Amino acid sequence: MKTLPKITPYLFFTGKGGVGKTSLASATAVKLADGGKRVLLISTDPASNLKEVLETDITEKITPINGIENLHAVNIDPELSAEEYRKRVISPMEDILPAHEIEKIREELSGACTTEIAAFDEFARYVAGNKEDQPYDVIIFDTAPTGHTLRLLELPAAWSDFIESNPDGASCIGPSSALKTSQERYKKVVERLQDKDATTIYLVSRPDGSALREADRSGRELHEMGLSNQVLLINGYFEPIDESDPFAINMQKQADETLNKMPERLKTLDQLIFPLRPYNLLGIKRLRSVFHPLDKEEIKRNSQSILSEQQESELPDIDQLIDDLSADKNHGLIMTMGKGGVGKTTIAAAIAFKLAQRGFPVHLTTTDPAAHLMDHIVNLELPENLTIDRIDPDKEKQAYIEKVLGQRGKDKTEEELKLLREDLESPCTEEVAVFQAFSKAIHQAKRQFVVIDTAPTGHTLLLLDTTGSYHKEILRNTKMDTGKLKTPYMYLQDPDYAKLLIVALPETTPISEAAKLQADLRRSNIEPFAWIANQSMSATNISDPLLKQRAAEEVPLLEEIKNKHAKKLYTIPWITEEPILAALLKRTSRIESN
């Protein structure tokens, strides 16, 4: 049985999206609760799937987990937290200001930075409580994907700086005085996170290069912030049961090579390796298996009842997708969307390369603050008709600030310029700047294919919400004939112009999250073009019993996507080679076992 290192009162599971943070956090919570510890499991991920994993209806209220006496869980819902925060800011003003002023303040508090600070406010409440009043022995945080987590943890310093430089001002989170009462609590939170006897950071990764690089990056940044008590968890390591299966042998070989080449700093950390299992980790029984070795004989017995035709899918592949995207078209907007870790960046890059290889002019970009697009195209020869960039939030913000200073800074005194620059350092400036770059990319699609790799689901919805708010503001204030006006939001609603692709892994939780995203898009009158099931084992030739069981579990899930959710469904096989993009560009949908 695997054993965790010394258990501290606060445990953080962080890493790239899709590496299994929720599964390992939940399995740890179950193990500790089974051992008599009083445990609270908290999700700060806007795309949380604790409900499916723990088979309990978990809300923003602390909820006991079915069948486990000592375990409770809670979801910190960013949007709900933001709405409660808005009410706290606005309620003291309701009897003082007229209704139109209240509405203006509410609109100013609708940005992403309000959501961020509100979520942190909730997060801090659990960490900064008095120890003598603490009803739990251990609090476990199933955190959001890395970029989100880092911004969450950086907020105390960022807001402290902002408040100190704007003591009487207001920001996109309301009057800065509304945050002053929390500064002492924020300080206590940071001190507790930096205490190695109080907090452990579990860097979760799969045995693949991009996930390990992400773990290294986040580990370094957290270490620089004083969170130095770190442990590396490798999730989903595969050892073949059928040693005559070439795909299985290659899968382990690639994993071993990748782990041997992991960043040097990660090699110095304590490590635990968790094997790939023949099933998804949903439900208490399966979670309890996480800390036990695989029963290979049982896997062999189970595989004998699985017929080979049950695990094979014959759905259209990425080349058919390219045919369909470019049918009678030489331009347009293509966006990959979905939960973090499902392979949006790789698929966006593959689509861009394949379109360019067919002679179309293509521009590839990303809005994801945690994406590492260049990692995917290293050593690849770029077609001449393909251009690549990234919408970098910091660069966009600085460019926007300089532009505004150039336009509004003329004839101002030094003191006035200083005040203007301080005002532009508000966190919501970055949101506006990124949106402008996003709008520019949308308009580029009038004359070429523009492929946008978007951020994980929560970020994407915030981005589209910003787009929608901007759309309403333009229609309200424009002097143009609205019949001739077409805003970025309207382009996203035009199925002939914009093709939105929802990417999911053929597993229960990613499919559920993708379905929620599709429902949100449809409420905004945006209809996805198709779904892509990535890393499909059932689209791969295999004979290994464990892999066959995983493939068999996929088939009904693919049928569910096809029959209940997607107008069109494409599959991309599981690829073991690194870099994945180069391998995908060389292969068709079915990997041959040769």
Side-chain angles (χ1 to χ4, degrees):
M1 181 185 293
K2 288 184 173 64
T3 56
L4 291 163
K6 175 189 172 185
I7 298 298
T8 54
Y10 303 100
L11 308 179
F12 281 79
F13 288 75
T14 190
K16 186 178 179 180
V19 295
K21 295 187 299 292
T22 299
S23 298
L24 293 186
S26 299
T28 301
V30 170
K31 178 179 173 62
L32 293 176
D34 284 344
K37 297 281 188 183
R38 297 166 300 166
V39 182
L40 176 64
L41 176 59
I42 301 173
S43 175
T44 59
D45 189 340
S48 172
N49 61 336
L50 280 182
K51 179 179 178 180
E52 290 89 351
V53 174
L54 292 170
E55 297 179 325
T56 301
D57 190 13
I58 299 167
T59 67
E60 71 283 356
K61 305 295 183 184
I62 293 177
T63 305
I65 300 304
N66 296 335
I68 303 184
E69 184 178 350
N70 294 322
L71 180 57
H72 292 76
V74 63
N75 266 329
I76 295 180
D77 184 321
E79 292 303 324
L80 187 64
S81 299
E83 179 56 28
E84 291 175 352
Y85 187 89
R86 281 188 283 271
K87 288 178 180 177
R88 290 203 303 273
V89 172
I90 291 171
S91 58
M93 309 176 190
E94 288 181 334
D95 295 330
I96 303 171
L97 298 176
H100 71 275
E101 288 290 337
I102 294 293
E103 185 57 32
K104 182 179 178 182
I105 293 171
R106 173 169 284 280
E107 286 187 12
E108 289 173 350
L109 292 170
S110 64
C113 53
T114 305
T115 305
E116 202 81 15
I117 191 64
F120 182 81
D121 223 23
E122 287 294 310
F123 162 87
R125 193 159 59 89
Y126 293 100
V127 180
N130 294 323
K131 291 182 180 179
E132 56 270 20
D133 298 330
Q134 180 59 266
Y136 300 101
D137 300 310
V138 181
I139 298 181
I140 298 175
F141 293 90
D142 166 31
T143 57
T146 306
H148 222 175
T149 302
L150 292 175
R151 286 207 309 282
L152 196 69
L153 297 179
E154 285 172 340
L155 275 172
W159 285 113
S160 179
D161 291 344
F162 183 71
I163 292 165
E164 287 173 11
S165 59
N166 295 268
D168 301 312
S171 70
C172 59
I173 58 168
S176 59
S177 58
L179 293 175
K180 280 187 175 180
T181 56
S182 299
Q183 284 306 295
E184 191 58 38
R185 184 171 64 181
Y186 288 172
K187 183 180 177 183
K188 186 186 294 185
V189 169
V190 174
E191 288 174 353
R192 204 157 283 179
L193 294 177
Q194 293 172 338
D195 181 354
K196 66 180 181 179
D197 293 323
T199 298
T200 303
I201 306 294
Y202 291 110
L203 303 173
V204 185
S205 178
R206 289 194 181 272
D208 71 75
S210 63
L212 286 164
R213 287 190 293 272
E214 188 63 51
D216 183 50
R217 265 186 284 264
S218 59
R220 287 178 183 277
E221 291 183 53
L222 289 166
H223 182 78
E224 289 170 2
M225 295 162 58
L227 285 73
S228 57
N229 185 20
Q230 300 179 6
V231 178
L232 177 64
L233 306 182
I234 302 295
N235 190 31
Y237 176 77
F238 172 68
E239 290 183 289
I241 295 176
D242 178 359
E243 296 191 359
S244 67
D245 182 345
F247 178 85
I249 298 299
N250 194 46
M251 188 171 173
Q252 183 187 29
K253 178 184 174 184
Q254 292 294 331
D256 287 341
E257 289 179 359
T258 301
L259 292 175
N260 287 334
K261 295 176 182 176
M262 77 166 69
E264 290 300 318
R265 183 183 175 277
L266 293 182
K267 293 180 181 178
T268 67
L269 300 178
D270 288 338
Q271 297 179 21
L272 283 179
I273 296 180
F274 296 87
L276 183 71
R277 296 192 176 267
Y279 45 74
N280 297 322
L281 292 169
L282 299 175
I284 302 301
K285 182 179 178 181
R286 289 182 171 183
L287 289 174
R288 284 189 171 124
S289 74
V290 166
F291 290 94
H292 293 272
L294 287 173
D295 186 338
K296 294 186 178 182
E297 292 305 314
E298 181 184 4
I299 292 171
K300 289 178 184 178
R301 288 193 298 272
N302 291 339
S303 71
Q304 291 173 1
S305 63
I306 298 174
L307 300 175
S308 61
E309 58 264 25
Q310 282 182 303
Q311 85 226 1
E312 294 183 0
S313 64
E314 295 292 345
L315 292 163
D317 63 4
I318 190 170
D319 289 312
Q320 182 61 54
L321 172 62
I322 300 301
D323 289 343
D324 295 342
L325 290 172
S326 59
D328 304 318
K329 297 276 289 183
N330 62 5
H331 71 280
L333 179 70
I334 300 166
M335 294 176 65
T336 56
M337 309 179 73
K339 186 175 179 177
V342 297
K344 297 184 300 297
T345 302
T346 300
I347 291 172
I351 290 170
F353 269 80
K354 284 180 173 288
L355 284 169
Q357 288 168 352
R358 297 192 184 191
F360 297 107
V362 183
H363 181 67
L364 171 64
T365 189
T366 180
T367 63
D368 188 344
H372 307 289
L373 191 56
M374 299 310 293
D375 290 345
H376 293 264
I377 60 175
V378 64
N379 298 327
L380 287 178
E381 184 177 346
L382 299 187
E384 291 183 2
N385 49 335
L386 173 63
T387 56
I388 299 176
D389 70 8
R390 173 179 170 239
I391 298 176
D392 184 297
D394 289 334
K395 289 183 179 178
E396 296 299 336
K397 177 181 176 181
Q398 290 309 311
Y400 177 80
I401 288 174
E402 295 308 317
K403 179 181 177 182
V404 173
L405 287 172
Q407 292 173 342
R408 293 168 51 191
K410 296 176 182 177
D411 304 321
K412 289 189 180 294
T413 66
E414 284 296 319
E415 187 61 28
E416 288 171 331
L417 278 173
K418 181 181 177 183
L419 289 172
L420 176 58
R421 184 174 285 279
E422 285 179 353
D423 184 51
L424 288 170
E425 287 299 328
S426 165
C428 53
T429 298
E430 182 178 299
E431 182 185 354
V432 174
V434 170
F435 170 69
Q436 290 201 349
F438 176 70
S439 301
K440 182 180 177 183
I442 290 177
H443 285 285
Q444 280 182 297
K446 292 178 181 178
R447 57 185 181 274
Q448 64 181 140
F449 281 111
V450 173
V451 183
I452 302 181
D453 161 41
T454 59
T457 307
H459 289 278
T460 301
L461 293 178
L462 285 172
L463 178 64
L464 293 179
D465 182 58
T466 306
T467 312
S469 301
Y470 181 72
H471 165 81
K472 293 172 187 174
E473 189 69 21
I474 288 177
L475 293 182
R476 186 161 55 239
N477 295 322
T478 186
K479 296 179 181 178
M480 293 174 58
D481 179 357
T482 54
K484 298 178 180 179
L485 180 67
K486 194 163 185 178
T487 65
Y489 198 57
M490 294 167 73
Y491 280 114
L492 293 176
Q493 293 172 321
D494 181 351
D496 190 52
Y497 189 87
K499 300 287 192 295
L500 275 64
L501 306 173
I502 293 183
V503 183
L505 302 179
E507 300 172 7
T508 302
T509 300
I511 291 171
S512 172
E513 292 299 334
K516 290 176 189 174
L517 170 59
Q518 179 165 265
D520 285 328
L521 292 170
R522 284 175 171 169
R523 280 194 289 274
S524 302
N525 295 316
I526 297 172
E527 183 63 34
F529 175 75
W531 282 45
I532 299 172
N534 192 26
Q535 293 184 15
S536 172
M537 196 62 74
S538 61
T540 308
N541 283 336
I542 48 176
S543 62
D544 186 272
L546 188 152
L547 300 182
K548 284 174 68 177
Q549 286 183 50
R550 290 192 68 88
E553 285 213 352
E554 272 185 21
V555 174
L557 296 175
L558 292 171
E559 286 298 312
E560 177 190 338
I561 296 175
K562 191 176 175 182
N563 297 330
K564 290 178 60 177
H565 303 304
K567 289 189 172 181
K568 296 181 180 181
L569 173 61
Y570 304 84
T571 58
I572 293 177
W574 191 300
I575 294 175
T576 59
E577 295 93 335
E578 291 274 355
I580 292 175
L581 176 60
L584 178 58
L585 292 173
K586 292 177 184 176
R587 295 169 181 264
T588 59
S589 68
R590 190 162 299 282
I591 297 179
E592 299 297 335
S593 296
N594 54 32

